[in-house]
Amino acid sequence: MGSIQAISFVIFSCICLANANANGNSLQRKKGSLERRKQEINCNMYQGKWVYDNYYPLYNSTDCPFIRKEFDCLKYGRPDHLYLKYRWQPTNCHLPRFNGEYFLKRFKGKKIMFIGDSLSLNIWQSLICMLHAAVPNSRIIKQELNNNTISAVTFQDYKISVMLFHSLYLVDVDEERIGRVLKLNSMRNGDQWKNNDVLVFNTWLWWYRRGLKQQWDYVNDEGRITKDIDRMTAFRTALTTWAKWVDSDVDTNRTKVIFQGISPSHYNGTEWNEPGVRNCFKEMEPFNGSSAYPVGLPEAAYVVKDVISRIKTPVHLLDITALSQLRKDAHPSSYNAFKGMDCTHWCVAGLTDTWNQLLYAALLS
């Protein structure tokens, strides 16, 4: 009888010890999970490094029928493919891999609009290719709307429209008796934007252009008309007009507002420690992986952050400037239909796919 009791005690002790270990492991797992979640909440998706990933790119650009000839680097003869193989890895968190089918289901029936210049066109084309790659047999229609100011691609099976509204400055440029007037305090097109479900804004590329490339003749700032103005001051004023419009006109309970950060160009090798280099041609790798870019952020990036910090309603900054500065290898350079040297825009597929992965993460958060 005593031996039976002893055996029972041993078995009971083992069970208790096993349960204690299991509970301890469970607590450790929960603690680890909470720590990871805490890290993810506090992490900055825009701080990290570029890592080589043999599973990239996310899609084959030759299968996407929507890429314009400015961005279709492989079609126009780019011989190296290494630029396609880099994945952005945030320092303290996981950037979710883009799931196009989930995106389409999550935003079924919604309207997503990109508003801005040719860099908005760049990211818009990338997103369409990423979605097309997920559902290549889906019914898709492309339309030009509103006197060709809006390009729309609709995935009919999901009733989701991904649109592009072409606007160089966001604020108005009006034809008047004296010529084209840039109106820093006026933004009439807002009525065409505000009822969409996601708005992704961008402007900067055209603010410093002069001569034949300048798209206005006079500036109107609070009723005062001048022939010219400090361009950074004008940029800040226009962004402030946009910010006031977001606060007053956009229902952010319904509409998610994103501002696409400043996209860098690569025409001066001194910026990436290669004096004498005058463009991005022959650049085949990112700048030093995780190293900080030598010249720091452009002034316009600080202006954007300052203006957004003053907006009362929630606006997410797609803060792509610093991570894009590292990608001197990702421009079309001369591999486009025009054979011109383009170190301003980006190859599709390529860097803009990462911008859309970050947009995806922002929209799902």
Side-chain angles (χ1 to χ4, degrees):
M1 183 72 177
S3 62
I4 293 172
Q5 286 177 332
I7 292 168
S8 299
F9 176 75
V10 170
I11 293 170
F12 179 72
S13 299
C14 290
I15 291 170
C16 289
L17 185 61
N19 285 340
N21 287 337
N23 288 337
N25 291 336
S26 177
L27 284 170
Q28 283 296 107
R29 283 195 299 272
K30 285 180 181 176
K31 187 177 178 182
S33 179
L34 285 170
E35 284 297 315
R36 282 193 299 275
R37 258 181 276 172
K38 187 177 177 183
Q39 268 190 339
E40 299 243 338
I41 290 168
N42 295 328
C43 85
N44 183 344
M45 286 279 189
Y46 304 101
Q47 291 180 350
K49 63 182 178 181
W50 291 100
V51 297
Y52 181 86
D53 190 331
N54 203 41
Y55 290 100
Y56 270 51
L58 297 173
Y59 59 93
N60 186 341
S61 63
T62 61
D63 294 332
C64 182
F66 303 103
I67 306 176
R68 284 174 53 130
K69 53 193 175 183
E70 295 96 320
F71 314 133
D72 202 348
C73 302
L74 292 185
K75 180 177 178 180
Y76 290 98
R78 181 158 181 171
D80 64 298
H81 294 182
L82 187 60
Y83 73 97
L84 294 167
K85 294 293 186 179
Y86 287 97
R87 171 175 57 82
W88 180 248
Q89 177 58 60
T91 302
N92 292 317
C93 49
H94 170 67
L95 178 60
R97 188 176 176 88
F98 186 86
N99 185 328
E101 191 168 4
Y102 178 76
F103 184 100
L104 290 164
K105 289 176 180 176
R106 174 73 180 265
F107 293 98
K108 187 172 184 177
K110 304 295 186 184
K111 293 181 178 179
I112 299 169
M113 179 177 276
F114 293 85
I115 301 118
D117 53 37
S118 53
L119 288 157
S120 293
L121 169 63
N122 219 169
I123 189 175
W124 175 73
Q125 293 228 301
S126 163
L127 181 57
I128 293 167
C129 287
M130 293 166 83
L131 295 174
H132 173 264
V135 289
N137 298 317
S138 180
R139 293 177 300 154
I140 302 172
I141 58 170
K142 187 175 185 296
Q143 299 168 287
E144 298 298 325
L145 308 171
N146 196 42
N147 292 324
N148 294 323
T149 59
I150 300 175
S151 299
V153 172
T154 302
F155 292 80
Q156 291 183 294
D157 297 333
Y158 300 88
K159 297 181 175 62
I160 177 173
S161 290
V162 185
M163 296 175 283
L164 173 73
F165 188 104
H166 182 66
S167 175
L168 299 182
Y169 306 103
L170 299 185
V171 293
D172 298 333
V173 178
D174 288 342
E175 285 281 355
E176 298 190 355
R177 182 183 54 79
I178 57 173
R180 300 166 299 175
V181 180
L182 175 65
K183 297 186 173 179
L184 298 179
N185 320 109
S186 173
M187 210 176 68
R188 290 190 307 276
N189 287 322
D191 288 341
Q192 299 181 62
W193 306 336
K194 64 183 182 182
N195 293 321
N196 292 289
D197 300 286
V198 178
L199 298 174
V200 184
F201 292 94
N202 155 63
T203 184
W204 171 242
L205 184 60
W206 287 80
W207 284 92
Y208 265 83
R209 297 198 171 181
R210 299 177 184 275
L212 293 176
K213 291 185 177 180
Q214 182 176 297
Q215 300 298 298
W216 47 268
D217 305 305
Y218 294 89
V219 183
N220 184 328
D221 184 11
E222 299 288 359
R224 190 167 68 93
I225 296 176
T226 57
K227 190 71 176 168
D228 206 348
I229 188 173
D230 177 81
R231 301 306 175 92
M232 196 63 70
T233 300
F235 178 61
R236 179 184 285 276
T237 303
L239 275 189
T240 302
T241 298
W242 166 80
K244 289 177 180 176
W245 172 82
V246 171
D247 273 337
S248 65
D249 281 40
V250 179
D251 178 6
T252 51
N253 293 316
R254 174 208 163 162
T255 302
K256 179 84 171 177
V257 181
I258 313 279
F259 193 91
Q260 177 185 329
I262 303 300
S263 176
S265 58
H266 291 93
Y267 291 99
N268 183 359
T270 304
E271 294 182 356
W272 61 90
N273 295 336
E274 292 185 38
V277 173
R278 291 289 172 262
N279 54 53
C280 57
F281 189 60
K282 296 184 180 179
E283 298 293 340
M284 293 186 287
E285 293 181 293
F287 173 79
N288 287 348
S290 61
S291 301
Y293 201 61
V295 295
L297 294 177
E299 184 182 354
Y302 292 106
V303 171
V304 168
K305 290 181 180 184
D306 182 57
V307 171
I308 288 177
S309 72
R310 299 168 189 271
I311 300 179
K312 296 173 186 152
T313 49
V315 173
H316 179 83
L317 173 60
L318 195 67
D319 196 4
I320 48 86
T321 308
L323 65 91
S324 302
Q325 283 180 315
L326 302 176
R327 295 306 308 272
K328 58 188 173 61
D329 58 314
H331 297 285
S333 67
S334 62
Y335 299 108
N336 56 72
F338 309 106
K339 303 303 178 186
M341 185 55 59
D342 185 355
C343 302
T344 298
H345 302 94
W346 309 92
C347 294
V348 178
L351 172 68
T352 47
D353 303 332
T354 296
W355 295 0
N356 278 312
Q357 277 188 277
L358 291 160
L359 175 63
Y360 176 71
L363 292 175
L364 295 183
S365 64

